[in-house]
Amino acid sequence: FPVTIGGVTDNIIAVVPAGDGPRAFAFSSKENKMYCANEYSGTVTVIDGITNTVITNIKVGSTPRVLCYNPRDNKIYCPNAGSKNLSIIDCSKDIVIETVQTGNTPRGVEYNEASNTVYCSNYSSDNITIIDGITNKVVSTLSVGDGPTAMFYCPEGKKVYCTNVVS
């Protein structure tokens, strides 16, 4: 179960039920909602940021492990490692609005706010799927090292970094 920790008191103020294997969080600042990827149930749990209660569970693909938030378009991106795709969630409606095909075993995701672009690392394909943040369409695929996984966007240099676990 995910827990909520009070930032002032540093104690647990809520335990929130989620799906099986809660793995990662993302926060929608526009909606004041937490999104929790549940690896073993293939869902994303939506949690109200004020009441710490479950709003809904959204069905996504198989094995969601990480999430990323796009504040410009109020979307959550969820790579589904077992489904070879990425679910795009509209945070105002809490529904999947698009499922984008990626490479094999998508494991990482990062949002570049400077270009409104989403990067999804595909571990078994050794590439990154690049997605337009407005249209939700794949714009290109970039070959990288072996086993790309974690990603990070650095706004100062307007660069995206990607680890290659097997290289």
Side-chain angles (χ1 to χ4, degrees), residues 1-7 10-19 22-25 34-36 38 45 47-49 51-54:
F1 291 103
V3 297
T4 304
I5 300 171
D10 292 332
N11 63 345
I12 296 174
I13 57 174
V15 177
V16 182
R23 179 92 177 212
F25 275 121
M34 292 295 302
Y35 292 79
C36 179
N38 304 303
T45 300
I47 302 167
D48 184 292
T51 64
N52 297 310
T53 58
V54 173

Short mmCIF file of all heavy atoms in Angstrom, two decimals, residues 1-7 10-19 22-25 34-36 38 45 47-49 51-54:
data_model
loop_
_atom_site.label_atom_id
_atom_site.label_comp_id
_atom_site.label_asym_id
_atom_site.label_seq_id
_atom_site.Cartn_x
_atom_site.Cartn_y
_atom_site.Cartn_z
N PHE A 1 0.83 -1.18 0.00
CA PHE A 1 0.00 0.00 0.00
C PHE A 1 0.88 1.25 0.00
O PHE A 1 1.83 1.34 0.76
CB PHE A 1 -0.88 0.05 1.26
CG PHE A 1 -1.95 -0.98 1.31
CD1 PHE A 1 -1.82 -2.11 2.10
CD2 PHE A 1 -3.09 -0.84 0.55
CE1 PHE A 1 -2.81 -3.06 2.16
CE2 PHE A 1 -4.10 -1.77 0.60
CZ PHE A 1 -3.96 -2.89 1.40
N PRO A 2 0.54 2.24 -0.84
CA PRO A 2 1.23 3.52 -0.74
C PRO A 2 0.88 4.21 0.58
O PRO A 2 -0.24 4.05 1.07
CB PRO A 2 0.70 4.32 -1.92
CG PRO A 2 0.11 3.32 -2.85
CD PRO A 2 -0.35 2.18 -1.99
N VAL A 3 1.80 4.95 1.12
CA VAL A 3 1.54 5.71 2.34
C VAL A 3 1.74 7.19 2.07
O VAL A 3 2.50 7.58 1.19
CB VAL A 3 2.45 5.28 3.52
CG1 VAL A 3 2.20 3.84 3.90
CG2 VAL A 3 3.92 5.50 3.22
N THR A 4 1.02 8.02 2.82
CA THR A 4 1.18 9.47 2.76
C THR A 4 1.89 9.89 4.03
O THR A 4 1.46 9.55 5.13
CB THR A 4 -0.18 10.18 2.66
OG1 THR A 4 -0.88 9.66 1.53
CG2 THR A 4 -0.01 11.67 2.54
N ILE A 5 2.98 10.63 3.87
CA ILE A 5 3.77 11.09 5.01
C ILE A 5 3.62 12.60 5.13
O ILE A 5 3.79 13.33 4.15
CB ILE A 5 5.26 10.72 4.83
CG1 ILE A 5 5.40 9.20 4.72
CG2 ILE A 5 6.11 11.29 5.97
CD1 ILE A 5 6.77 8.73 4.32
N GLY A 6 3.27 13.05 6.32
CA GLY A 6 3.13 14.48 6.57
C GLY A 6 4.47 15.17 6.47
O GLY A 6 5.42 14.80 7.15
N GLY A 7 4.58 16.18 5.60
CA GLY A 7 5.83 16.88 5.36
C GLY A 7 6.31 17.72 6.52
O GLY A 7 7.49 18.02 6.62
N ASP A 10 6.52 14.52 9.61
CA ASP A 10 7.27 13.32 9.24
C ASP A 10 6.68 12.04 9.83
O ASP A 10 7.40 11.14 10.25
CB ASP A 10 8.76 13.44 9.62
CG ASP A 10 9.46 14.48 8.79
OD1 ASP A 10 9.03 14.72 7.65
OD2 ASP A 10 10.45 15.06 9.27
N ASN A 11 5.36 11.97 9.84
CA ASN A 11 4.72 10.74 10.29
C ASN A 11 3.72 10.30 9.22
O ASN A 11 3.33 11.06 8.34
CB ASN A 11 4.03 10.92 11.64
CG ASN A 11 2.92 11.94 11.60
OD1 ASN A 11 2.80 12.72 10.66
ND2 ASN A 11 2.08 11.95 12.62
N ILE A 12 3.30 9.04 9.30
CA ILE A 12 2.35 8.51 8.33
C ILE A 12 0.97 9.05 8.66
O ILE A 12 0.49 8.89 9.78
CB ILE A 12 2.35 6.98 8.34
CG1 ILE A 12 3.72 6.47 7.87
CG2 ILE A 12 1.22 6.43 7.48
CD1 ILE A 12 3.90 4.98 7.99
N ILE A 13 0.33 9.69 7.65
CA ILE A 13 -1.00 10.24 7.88
C ILE A 13 -2.08 9.47 7.12
O ILE A 13 -3.26 9.65 7.39
CB ILE A 13 -1.08 11.74 7.53
CG1 ILE A 13 -0.68 12.01 6.08
CG2 ILE A 13 -0.23 12.56 8.47
CD1 ILE A 13 -0.87 13.45 5.64
N ALA A 14 -1.67 8.61 6.17
CA ALA A 14 -2.66 7.80 5.45
C ALA A 14 -1.98 6.60 4.81
O ALA A 14 -0.82 6.68 4.39
CB ALA A 14 -3.35 8.63 4.38
N VAL A 15 -2.70 5.50 4.75
CA VAL A 15 -2.30 4.32 3.99
C VAL A 15 -3.39 4.12 2.95
O VAL A 15 -4.56 4.00 3.30
CB VAL A 15 -2.16 3.07 4.90
CG1 VAL A 15 -1.81 1.85 4.07
CG2 VAL A 15 -1.11 3.32 5.98
N VAL A 16 -3.00 4.13 1.69
CA VAL A 16 -3.98 4.12 0.61
C VAL A 16 -3.89 2.79 -0.15
O VAL A 16 -2.81 2.42 -0.61
CB VAL A 16 -3.71 5.29 -0.36
CG1 VAL A 16 -4.76 5.32 -1.46
CG2 VAL A 16 -3.66 6.61 0.39
N PRO A 17 -5.00 2.07 -0.30
CA PRO A 17 -4.96 0.82 -1.06
C PRO A 17 -4.76 1.12 -2.54
O PRO A 17 -5.32 2.07 -3.08
CB PRO A 17 -6.33 0.20 -0.80
CG PRO A 17 -7.21 1.34 -0.45
CD PRO A 17 -6.33 2.37 0.21
N ALA A 18 -3.93 0.31 -3.18
CA ALA A 18 -3.69 0.46 -4.62
C ALA A 18 -3.78 -0.93 -5.24
O ALA A 18 -4.19 -1.89 -4.58
CB ALA A 18 -2.32 1.08 -4.86
N GLY A 19 -3.38 -1.05 -6.47
CA GLY A 19 -3.36 -2.34 -7.12
C GLY A 19 -2.18 -3.18 -6.64
O GLY A 19 -1.45 -2.78 -5.73
N PRO A 22 2.44 -1.87 -6.25
CA PRO A 22 2.61 -0.44 -6.51
C PRO A 22 4.08 -0.11 -6.69
O PRO A 22 4.91 -0.50 -5.87
CB PRO A 22 2.02 0.24 -5.27
CG PRO A 22 1.95 -0.82 -4.22
CD PRO A 22 1.89 -2.13 -4.92
N ARG A 23 4.40 0.56 -7.77
CA ARG A 23 5.81 0.69 -8.15
C ARG A 23 6.30 2.13 -8.25
O ARG A 23 7.43 2.42 -7.91
CB ARG A 23 6.00 -0.03 -9.47
CG ARG A 23 7.34 -0.01 -10.08
CD ARG A 23 8.15 -1.19 -9.65
NE ARG A 23 9.43 -1.17 -10.33
CZ ARG A 23 10.08 -2.23 -10.68
NH1 ARG A 23 9.60 -3.41 -10.43
NH2 ARG A 23 11.25 -2.14 -11.25
N ALA A 24 5.47 3.04 -8.79
CA ALA A 24 5.95 4.41 -9.03
C ALA A 24 4.79 5.40 -8.92
O ALA A 24 3.63 5.04 -9.11
CB ALA A 24 6.58 4.50 -10.41
N PHE A 25 5.14 6.65 -8.64
CA PHE A 25 4.17 7.73 -8.54
C PHE A 25 4.44 8.83 -9.56
O PHE A 25 5.58 9.06 -9.97
CB PHE A 25 4.27 8.42 -7.17
CG PHE A 25 3.50 7.77 -6.07
CD1 PHE A 25 4.16 7.33 -4.94
CD2 PHE A 25 2.13 7.63 -6.13
CE1 PHE A 25 3.47 6.75 -3.89
CE2 PHE A 25 1.42 7.06 -5.08
CZ PHE A 25 2.10 6.62 -3.97
N MET A 34 -2.54 12.10 -7.24
CA MET A 34 -1.39 11.20 -7.36
C MET A 34 -1.80 10.04 -8.26
O MET A 34 -2.94 9.57 -8.19
CB MET A 34 -0.98 10.64 -6.00
CG MET A 34 -0.39 11.66 -5.05
SD MET A 34 1.16 12.34 -5.60
CE MET A 34 2.17 10.89 -5.77
N TYR A 35 -0.86 9.60 -9.06
CA TYR A 35 -1.08 8.43 -9.93
C TYR A 35 -0.04 7.39 -9.54
O TYR A 35 1.15 7.69 -9.47
CB TYR A 35 -0.93 8.83 -11.40
CG TYR A 35 -2.06 9.75 -11.83
CD1 TYR A 35 -2.04 11.10 -11.51
CD2 TYR A 35 -3.14 9.25 -12.52
CE1 TYR A 35 -3.08 11.94 -11.87
CE2 TYR A 35 -4.19 10.09 -12.90
CZ TYR A 35 -4.15 11.42 -12.57
OH TYR A 35 -5.19 12.24 -12.93
N CYS A 36 -0.48 6.16 -9.28
CA CYS A 36 0.39 5.09 -8.81
C CYS A 36 0.35 3.93 -9.81
O CYS A 36 -0.72 3.34 -10.03
CB CYS A 36 -0.05 4.62 -7.43
SG CYS A 36 0.93 3.26 -6.77
N ASN A 38 0.78 0.24 -10.87
CA ASN A 38 0.68 -1.04 -10.17
C ASN A 38 1.17 -2.15 -11.10
O ASN A 38 0.44 -2.61 -11.98
CB ASN A 38 -0.76 -1.29 -9.74
CG ASN A 38 -1.28 -0.16 -8.88
OD1 ASN A 38 -0.71 0.17 -7.86
ND2 ASN A 38 -2.37 0.46 -9.30
N THR A 45 -3.56 3.54 -10.16
CA THR A 45 -4.49 4.02 -9.14
C THR A 45 -4.42 5.54 -9.07
O THR A 45 -3.32 6.10 -8.99
CB THR A 45 -4.17 3.41 -7.77
OG1 THR A 45 -4.26 1.99 -7.86
CG2 THR A 45 -5.13 3.90 -6.70
N ILE A 47 -5.28 8.82 -6.89
CA ILE A 47 -5.49 9.16 -5.48
C ILE A 47 -5.72 10.66 -5.33
O ILE A 47 -4.92 11.46 -5.84
CB ILE A 47 -4.27 8.73 -4.63
CG1 ILE A 47 -4.03 7.22 -4.80
CG2 ILE A 47 -4.46 9.10 -3.16
CD1 ILE A 47 -2.68 6.74 -4.27
N ASP A 48 -6.77 11.04 -4.62
CA ASP A 48 -7.06 12.44 -4.34
C ASP A 48 -5.98 12.98 -3.41
O ASP A 48 -5.73 12.42 -2.34
CB ASP A 48 -8.44 12.56 -3.69
CG ASP A 48 -8.85 14.00 -3.46
OD1 ASP A 48 -8.23 14.67 -2.61
OD2 ASP A 48 -9.81 14.43 -4.11
N GLY A 49 -5.35 14.09 -3.80
CA GLY A 49 -4.26 14.66 -3.03
C GLY A 49 -4.68 15.34 -1.75
O GLY A 49 -3.85 15.61 -0.88
N THR A 51 -7.79 14.31 0.15
CA THR A 51 -8.42 13.35 1.06
C THR A 51 -7.62 12.05 1.21
O THR A 51 -7.93 11.24 2.08
CB THR A 51 -9.83 12.99 0.57
OG1 THR A 51 -9.72 12.32 -0.70
CG2 THR A 51 -10.70 14.23 0.45
N ASN A 52 -6.61 11.84 0.34
CA ASN A 52 -5.82 10.61 0.34
C ASN A 52 -6.69 9.37 0.13
O ASN A 52 -6.45 8.32 0.71
CB ASN A 52 -5.00 10.47 1.63
CG ASN A 52 -3.99 11.58 1.76
OD1 ASN A 52 -3.23 11.86 0.83
ND2 ASN A 52 -4.00 12.25 2.90
N THR A 53 -7.71 9.50 -0.70
CA THR A 53 -8.59 8.38 -1.01
C THR A 53 -8.48 8.04 -2.49
O THR A 53 -8.15 8.90 -3.32
CB THR A 53 -10.06 8.69 -0.66
OG1 THR A 53 -10.46 9.86 -1.40
CG2 THR A 53 -10.24 8.93 0.82
N VAL A 54 -8.80 6.79 -2.81
CA VAL A 54 -8.75 6.33 -4.19
C VAL A 54 -9.94 6.90 -4.96
O VAL A 54 -11.09 6.77 -4.53
CB VAL A 54 -8.74 4.79 -4.27
CG1 VAL A 54 -8.87 4.31 -5.71
CG2 VAL A 54 -7.48 4.23 -3.63
#
